[in-house]
Amino acid sequence: MNLDFKQNIISLDTLESTNDYAKYLIKNNQIKMNTIIVCNKQTRGRGQRNRVWESVKGKNLLASFIFDKPLIDDNFLINIVSSLSLVDMLSELCINDISIKWPNDILVNNRKIAGILIENIFFGNNIKSTIVGFGINVNQIYFPDYMPKATSILLEEKNITPQQLLDHFIPLFEKRYFQAITGVDLLSQYYNLLYAKDKRIKMKINEVILDVVIVGVSKEGKLILDINGKFSEYLNSEIKYLCF
Amino acid sequence: MKKMNLEEIQELIKFVAKSGATEVDLEMEGVKISIKSPPKKKRGEKDDPTTIIQHAAPHTIPSQVINSQIPLAETANIESGNTNENSQNKNPDAEKDENKYITIKSSMIGTFYRSPSPEKPSFVNIGDNIKKGDTICIIEAMKLFNEIESEVEGKVIKVLVDDSNPVEFEQDLFLIDPS
């Protein structure tokens, strides 16, 4: 069984965002198989709800994987698959100190190296397509002031082009996807890689700053925090990291 | 229905302004009234330039009371206005119509968004006719964005959740008139 992403790669110079272009193709019924959209430069690269993802042309890997007929409709599981495959890729490059900043950033030595933006399209209650967008800092070495805690593969002293990195990444991503659909326990692996796990940190929770310890992630993807000995689950909209 | 006097017309204007409706067309006994007001009025601005145009209409027009297709402002505070409209609508099928509506429910827990991004217009508005496959909303769960396409077609009667509010599994989102 193969997801065949390698067979259908659409490579473009400039796009507003690879995820938006992916959505456009889906809406116009132009996606007949699993497809990768990749570009050199995004003019409107997005984080969530329009937080800009800054990227210098040609320096980074900007790719969206479109699942034509997704086999996973569990929102959090696809996030775990995506996060773990990025960690695998960085590990293969012998980069250390990798962690996952819940819910969708990958850090190296507590600096952001990659981000994930997942979008599903549902027809009523049934999943129709999944778009997994990756932004990976590869050869960018300067970051704007508002991204103080960023790093790149080059800054971690590894040399690779975005194209080589994509070739590297595809089988790792497909492997994790298969593990998920065959029921391998990925949640515990994800949890073991969590940023600030088991450490006392300050977080803003519903607008109040508190001392918390990240103690886990629920199956639905909520962050489990220990606040003064009491465990509670939180949505990403309820909490804010203070160190980023 | 008897002819309206000036006072009743003034009452009607007040009612329209309060309801949040932006346009009402009324025809009876050869008189046609159309009231238009700018949308999103602030509280207390009663002296808004709500305009009223009254002119003779051809006598052949049936004396239907209020056009049931009043475009309503999409805020929760017009709920009362909406019921009122139904009661004035003296349509014996009104209750039956309610039952014919289809409710679109949420298939997941998350945050409900009516537009693709904050500065963009809503996917659908009250009164819009939607087709199968039209995107109607986004439900975000843990920074994962689920774009929901409609499985049904019809006219949007109500949007039951405000933008950026949390929704539960199976919560009602939209009321659709399939006819």
Side-chain angles (χ1 to χ4, degrees), chain A residues 46-92:
Chain A
R46 289 179 300 141
Q48 283 68 43
R49 295 297 286 176
N50 280 10
R51 286 171 71 179
V52 180
W53 170 271
E54 200 68 33
S55 179
V56 176
K57 184 167 184 172
K59 297 279 187 191
N60 300 321
L61 176 56
L62 310 165
S64 291
F65 287 63
I66 306 170
F67 290 87
D68 178 38
K69 292 178 183 65
L71 300 164
I72 298 174
D73 66 355
D74 177 328
N75 275 345
F76 191 48
L77 190 55
I78 187 69
N79 183 334
I80 293 177
V81 165
S82 309
S83 303
L84 289 179
S85 53
L86 283 174
V87 173
D88 293 342
M89 179 193 74
L90 296 169
S91 300
E92 280 207 349

Side-chain angles (χ1 to χ4, degrees), chain A residues 23 27 44 48-50 75 78 102-104 118-125 128 220-222 235-236, chain B residues 107-108 113 115-120 133 135 138 140-151:
Chain A
K23 243 190 280 177
K27 293 276 171 193
R44 287 194 51 199
Q48 283 68 43
R49 295 297 286 176
N50 280 10
N75 275 345
I78 187 69
W102 179 90
N104 56 351
I118 303 172
E119 298 180 81
N120 287 322
I121 297 173
F122 276 79
F123 182 67
N125 295 339
K128 197 170 95 173
E220 301 78 42
K222 290 185 183 179
L235 293 166
N236 65 291
Chain B
S107 58
M108 62 192 80
Y113 291 111
S115 65
S117 57
E119 81 281 8
K120 296 221 171 111
T135 302
I138 288 173
E140 183 239 294
M142 246 57 77
K143 294 203 180 182
L144 191 147
F145 292 78
N146 299 290
E147 221 173 276
I148 314 296
E149 294 179 350
S150 179
E151 277 180 309

Side-chain angles (χ1 to χ4, degrees), chain A residues 104-123:
Chain A
N104 56 351
D105 289 334
I106 306 300
L107 310 180
V108 170
N109 198 11
N110 296 340
R111 290 169 183 275
K112 179 167 169 170
I113 199 161
I116 303 163
L117 177 57
I118 303 172
E119 298 180 81
N120 287 322
I121 297 173
F122 276 79
F123 182 67

Side-chain angles (χ1 to χ4, degrees), chain B:
Chain B
M1 194 177 185
K2 69 179 173 62
K3 245 183 189 160
M4 278 181 133
N5 61 32
L6 187 63
E7 214 174 283
E8 284 171 321
I9 291 171
Q10 281 172 339
E11 279 302 311
L12 178 69
I13 295 167
K14 272 188 201 160
F15 168 69
V16 171
K18 252 195 199 163
S19 77
T22 55
E23 192 172 340
V24 172
D25 287 309
L26 190 61
E27 282 174 7
M28 67 193 124
E29 304 276 331
V31 176
K32 186 177 174 184
I33 296 172
S34 95
I35 301 169
K36 287 180 189 174
S37 65
K40 285 186 186 172
K41 255 187 310 197
K42 281 179 196 149
R43 221 168 245 257
E45 282 185 58
K46 276 187 180 166
D47 295 330
D48 248 16
T50 302
T51 54
I52 176 160
I53 308 157
Q54 185 168 4
H55 52 84
H59 285 277
T60 48
I61 290 173
S63 54
Q64 173 65 10
V65 181
I66 288 185
N67 185 348
S68 63
Q69 296 187 6
I70 298 170
L72 295 164
E74 304 134 59
T75 47
N77 63 8
I78 52 104
E79 294 263 319
S80 58
N82 208 3
T83 357
N84 230 327
E85 177 214 332
N86 279 341
S87 65
Q88 287 185 23
N89 201 350
K90 287 184 187 155
N91 180 355
D93 291 334
E95 215 163 283
K96 232 159 103 196
D97 283 352
E98 282 279 333
N99 296 334
K100 278 194 291 187
Y101 294 159
I102 298 169
T103 308
I104 299 179
K105 292 174 186 287
S106 177
S107 58
M108 62 192 80
I109 295 169
T111 306
F112 175 82
Y113 291 111
R114 291 189 55 191
S115 65
S117 57
E119 81 281 8
K120 296 221 171 111
S122 297
F123 293 114
V124 293
N125 291 302
I126 291 170
D128 287 358
N129 280 303
I130 54 167
K131 298 189 302 292
K132 283 181 189 175
D134 282 356
T135 302
I136 50 174
C137 65
I138 288 173
I139 297 172
E140 183 239 294
M142 246 57 77
K143 294 203 180 182
L144 191 147
F145 292 78
N146 299 290
E147 221 173 276
I148 314 296
E149 294 179 350
S150 179
E151 277 180 309
V152 298
E153 46 192 36
K155 188 165 153 188
V156 181
I157 300 298
K158 270 188 191 173
V159 182
L160 302 159
V161 182
D162 287 338
D163 188 60
S164 305
N165 274 19
V167 289
E168 296 294 330
F169 178 67
E170 294 276 279
Q171 186 173 337
D172 296 352
L173 303 177
F174 297 93
L175 204 60
I176 305 295
D177 181 358
S179 55

